[in-house]
Amino acid sequence: MNSSVFHPLFIALRAALFVGLILVPWHARAGLQIDISKGGQQPIPIAIPKFLDTNPDGSTNPSTAMGNRIADVVAADLERSGLFQVLDRNGFLQDPAALWKEGPRFELWRKNGAEAVVSGAVTVNGGQVHADFFLHDVYRGAPVGQGQRFAAPQPEWHLVAHRIADEIYARLTGESGYFASRIVFVAEKGDKKWLSIMDQDGLNRKDLTEGRSLVLTPRFSPNGESLFFVSYVSGEPRIYRWDLYTGKKYQEGDYPGLNSAPSWSPDGTRMAMTLNMDGNAEIYVKDLRAGSLSRLTHNPGIDTSPSWSPDGRRIVFNSDRGGSPQIYTMNADGSNQTRITFEGNYNAAPTWSPRGDLIAFVKGGGGSFGISVINPQGNQERALTSSWMDESPAWAPNGRVIAFTREGQGRKSKLYTIDLTGQNERIVPMDPEIQASDPSWSPLIR
Amino acid sequence: MFTKSTHLLAVSLLSLGLLAGCGTVPGDSPESGQAGAGAGEDGRALGRSDGSSAYLNRAGGGANDPSGRGGAGGELEHRVYFDLNSAIIDARAADVLAQNARWLGKRNVTVEGHCDERGTREYNLALGQKRADAAKQYLISQGIDASRIKTVSYGKERPLVNGHNEAAWGKNRRAELVP
């Protein structure tokens, strides 16, 4: 039993907190680790007891329920990732106060079947929530990384929990998480469609528009602070930019005919889009500062759905120039246009992973549509999902999970997520009265 | 000829009346009614599209024909259909468009392009535009001034019929002329 390893860190953390330091994250090392590139793995059993509710002086404060709420959100995030089996809190053999104050008694957590245990405490003070946590490897009897504190204004306590979940995910997988992020999407009820935004777990939904005009395809800017979307407010499809924190909206051009498929360059300075003003759907890039426009495609087929590679040098897009909709890549100046899909006769809506290693797209055929991935060279195509109608893939910020729209035959359309193993398909919890489509996933909220 | 045109004009005005937000149109919602009533240019455009679908959906079913022109010798169809993933004007569509061109004369017209529910939203927006443009080009070939024709694609957003089978999709792959 080596719980003495724990104590110096514990003391160090308390000391650090006392002087107001936030300890830096520490990444995974030998021991408890998850390889998220492989499918079919057993989820890691993890114990996430309620965080101890404490006063600023460290004494226990039983009057707040924040400790339970934080633990619930952390647990839900990790469970939904498919990589963790969250153990039932009722059966725990060590109570949260003892766990926090004395450190884990690993033999008890082994009896509980846990391979990892989280100990945490939370304080609500002066309108701020701050939570401190440790992650422990039960079989090694040692902490994984150091203690860490996260804080946020009280109304944003969810963010504290999501950041803790991201940190646990990062320490055990070696890759950054995706829980402290938002999804913007098109909500629909009756004949209204409007823009709505929520946390990635489906909570905290806020409607951004009222539904008086048809809106389509919202797209988060690389910094998560602005959207592009298509609206018919003028009677014709036009692209608008919405700066979420100032509330300002701008029309991004008014070109004759179709204006659609806006896509931010990774540095946020350019927009790729589809315009029809030269008589045919072609891809253009607009410099957002200079306002200048350049045309990238020149052929009589449809060219649409551009999406940038994370280095900004390449663009993947959809074209039916070869007779059926297929996926192509090109340089960001339009040169070197290359077809990369050859299987099937409906491949569309490509979107480049933020890691750069894969392109997700919609594959149709045989009466179904699903989400597939392929590498940018056009190799190793893999189907992840299939249904009556799966579409609009949107990458999580870590490039490991894809949100998409699923519509059953005559059924309401809903948002789902799938990870790259293709084995952890989940519906995003949502008001059952509302249909949802066209997700766009924000970067991590800093 | 004169009587036929006036008759058709009457039909079209009637359809516009419905478009303005008459509460009896199936599927007409508080939203589109509201928009028609005073939300300005934007709302009207969307309400018009909804109402148009509802009215034309009934056309041809003589019992519901509000004009009561049962035996008047054929009505003018304002809609042409397309094959899967196609924007080609076939012989039947060409015939319908030619008739519309004669009837339109100096009027302005909006050509809406639509798709079935199968396929991705952005591809269908482009395909709907291609269908509207194909219909526009045909109208131009029939002597309609290009400046009188506006096109707008709704992709798969405004199906004419709500079924989820080949029969419904065939009706939804269309271009509609809205005078």
Side-chain angles (χ1 to χ4, degrees):
Chain A
M1 200 62 298
N2 197 10
S3 60
S4 61
V5 171
F6 169 78
H7 287 295
L9 281 166
F10 174 73
I11 292 159
L13 175 77
R14 301 304 299 174
L17 294 183
F18 196 70
V19 297
L21 286 177
I22 293 175
L23 301 178
V24 292
W26 184 94
H27 284 291
R29 63 183 185 196
L32 190 56
Q33 268 193 357
I34 304 174
D35 181 351
I36 58 180
S37 65
K38 294 199 178 85
Q41 300 195 114
Q42 283 294 106
I44 287 192
I46 186 169
I48 308 172
K50 72 163 275 189
F51 279 38
L52 189 66
D53 289 292
T54 54
N55 293 311
D57 66 3
S59 61
T60 304
N61 176 358
S63 68
T64 157
M66 191 58 81
N68 258 322
R69 291 174 174 177
I70 297 272
D72 285 346
V73 171
V74 172
D77 279 347
L78 295 177
E79 196 278 331
R80 280 177 58 77
S81 76
L83 303 175
F84 298 89
Q85 176 203 352
V86 177
L87 300 175
D88 181 0
R89 230 175 270 165
N90 288 322
F92 291 165
L93 299 171
Q94 186 178 24
D95 73 67
L99 174 63
W100 178 249
K101 289 175 177 163
E102 296 152 24
R105 288 181 60 192
F106 289 111
E107 76 281 8
L108 298 180
W109 294 106
R110 280 189 208 112
K111 271 187 194 159
N112 274 124
E115 291 182 20
V117 60
V118 175
S119 63
V122 59
T123 303
V124 181
N125 184 36
Q128 289 273 315
V129 173
H130 65 77
D132 307 325
F133 89 102
F134 287 93
L135 174 64
H136 309 277
D137 179 335
V138 171
Y139 281 83
R140 289 178 64 239
V144 182
Q146 298 177 317
Q148 195 168 357
R149 164 176 290 193
F150 293 98
Q154 189 172 352
E156 291 164 41
W157 65 268
H158 285 260
L159 190 54
V160 170
H162 291 312
R163 284 173 168 158
I164 290 169
D166 277 330
E167 187 58 33
I168 294 169
Y169 181 101
R171 290 186 193 181
L172 294 180
T173 66
E175 304 206 6
S176 73
Y178 57 94
F179 304 119
S181 60
R182 297 190 182 103
I183 292 176
V184 63
F185 64 102
V186 175
E188 180 178 1
K189 190 176 181 181
D191 62 358
K192 280 189 182 186
K193 278 193 169 190
W194 68 95
L195 296 179
S196 200
I197 192 169
M198 63 188 179
D199 293 349
Q200 54 75 31
D201 58 0
L203 298 175
N204 286 334
R205 201 189 96 223
K206 291 180 186 70
D207 293 333
L208 297 175
T209 61
E210 291 175 15
R212 295 176 86 79
S213 309
L214 178 61
V215 288
L216 303 171
T217 62
R219 301 281 184 255
F220 265 115
S221 64
N223 67 6
E225 295 183 0
S226 299
L227 302 175
F228 285 145
F229 62 102
V230 171
S231 169
Y232 283 69
V233 66
S234 71
E236 297 180 271
R238 293 291 177 263
I239 295 168
Y240 297 82
R241 173 194 176 127
W242 190 341
D243 292 342
L244 292 169
Y245 294 99
T246 65
K248 285 185 182 160
K249 278 185 217 165
Y250 316 81
Q251 186 172 341
E252 287 289 356
D254 182 16
Y255 307 99
L258 180 67
N259 298 204
S260 67
S263 174
W264 296 87
S265 67
D267 64 2
T269 65
R270 288 170 291 169
M271 170 176 64
M273 62 184 157
T274 301
L275 298 176
N276 187 67
M277 61 180 182
D278 293 327
N280 172 263
E282 305 282 5
I283 293 168
Y284 295 75
V285 169
K286 181 179 178 183
D287 184 310
L288 294 171
R289 287 176 294 205
S292 56
L293 197 63
S294 57
R295 178 174 164 181
L296 269 51
T297 58
H298 300 77
N299 69 76
I302 287 172
D303 295 293
T304 189
S305 296
S307 170
W308 301 74
S309 65
D311 65 7
R313 292 181 178 173
R314 308 270 295 157
I315 291 173
V316 65
F317 64 105
N318 189 201
S319 178
D320 67 2
R321 64 184 66 178
S324 65
Q326 298 292 344
I327 311 301
Y328 291 71
T329 58
M330 62 183 163
N331 291 334
D333 63 1
S335 63
N336 194 20
Q337 300 191 9
T338 309
R339 180 171 165 178
I340 64 164
T341 54
F342 294 91
E343 284 179 34
N345 58 12
Y346 198 100
N347 294 306
T351 172
W352 212 306
S353 156
R355 296 163 61 94
D357 57 341
L358 290 171
I359 289 159
F361 63 100
V362 174
K363 186 170 205 73
S368 63
F369 287 81
I371 308 301
S372 288
V373 290
I374 195 168
N375 73 23
Q377 292 73 44
N379 302 317
Q380 296 175 320
E381 181 177 326
R382 278 192 300 136
L384 301 180
T385 75
S386 181
S387 83
W388 170 254
M389 186 75 229
D390 289 349
E391 66 164 321
S392 59
W395 290 94
N398 72 349
R400 286 290 180 186
V401 180
I402 297 168
F404 61 98
T405 307
R406 168 166 293 173
E407 194 172 350
Q409 187 172 6
R411 297 222 196 96
K412 286 189 167 127
S413 102
K414 295 288 178 186
L415 301 185
Y416 282 72
T417 55
I418 185 77
D419 68 28
L420 285 182
T421 67
Q423 290 175 346
N424 182 40
E425 185 178 286
R426 307 279 176 132
I427 190 167
V428 179
M430 177 89 55
D431 177 345
E433 297 299 309
I434 286 178
Q435 303 203 57
S437 59
D438 287 0
S440 175
W441 209 317
S442 80
L444 281 180
I445 301 164
R446 298 296 173 194
Chain B
M1 188 62 191
F2 173 75
T3 48
K4 192 175 178 187
S5 322
T6 33
H7 168 73
L8 289 168
L9 179 59
V11 173
S12 111
L13 288 174
L14 224 131
S15 88
L16 284 171
L18 281 169
L19 303 177
C22 169
T24 61
V25 180
D28 193 18
S29 69
E31 163 86 350
S32 58
Q34 215 174 11
E41 194 83 16
D42 313 334
R44 270 208 305 279
L46 288 179
R48 184 168 65 187
S49 153
D50 287 349
S52 159
S53 298
Y55 171 67
L56 292 170
N57 204 359
R58 290 171 163 193
N64 288 331
D65 185 344
S67 73
R69 64 202 139 89
E75 66 199 67
L76 178 57
E77 203 179 0
H78 296 290
R79 198 186 304 130
V80 295
Y81 301 96
F82 297 87
D83 286 338
L84 181 67
N85 286 346
S86 165
I88 292 170
I89 303 290
D90 64 15
R92 174 144 193 266
D95 188 42
V96 170
L97 290 170
Q99 290 177 48
N100 274 277
R102 285 194 291 279
W103 171 69
L104 279 170
K106 298 291 183 197
R107 290 185 195 87
N108 292 335
V109 65
T110 297
V111 182
E112 297 178 357
H114 299 272
C115 300
D116 66 36
E117 64 179 350
R118 308 302 272 156
T120 65
R121 202 171 312 286
E122 287 177 346
Y123 182 78
N124 279 348
L125 278 174
L127 183 57
Q129 183 66 45
K130 198 168 183 174
R131 287 173 176 162
D133 286 342
K136 174 181 175 177
Q137 287 309 316
Y138 199 87
L139 291 173
I140 292 170
S141 79
Q142 298 298 301
I144 305 294
D145 192 313
S147 67
R148 298 192 177 282
I149 310 170
K150 190 167 120 179
T151 57
V152 58
S153 173
Y154 285 97
K156 61 177 177 176
E157 304 303 315
R158 297 277 186 263
L160 177 62
V161 293
N162 283 320
H164 306 283
N165 50 43
E166 205 40 77
W169 301 333
K171 290 195 173 76
N172 290 332
R173 294 191 292 261
R174 69 201 194 277
E176 296 203 5
L177 276 56
V178 183

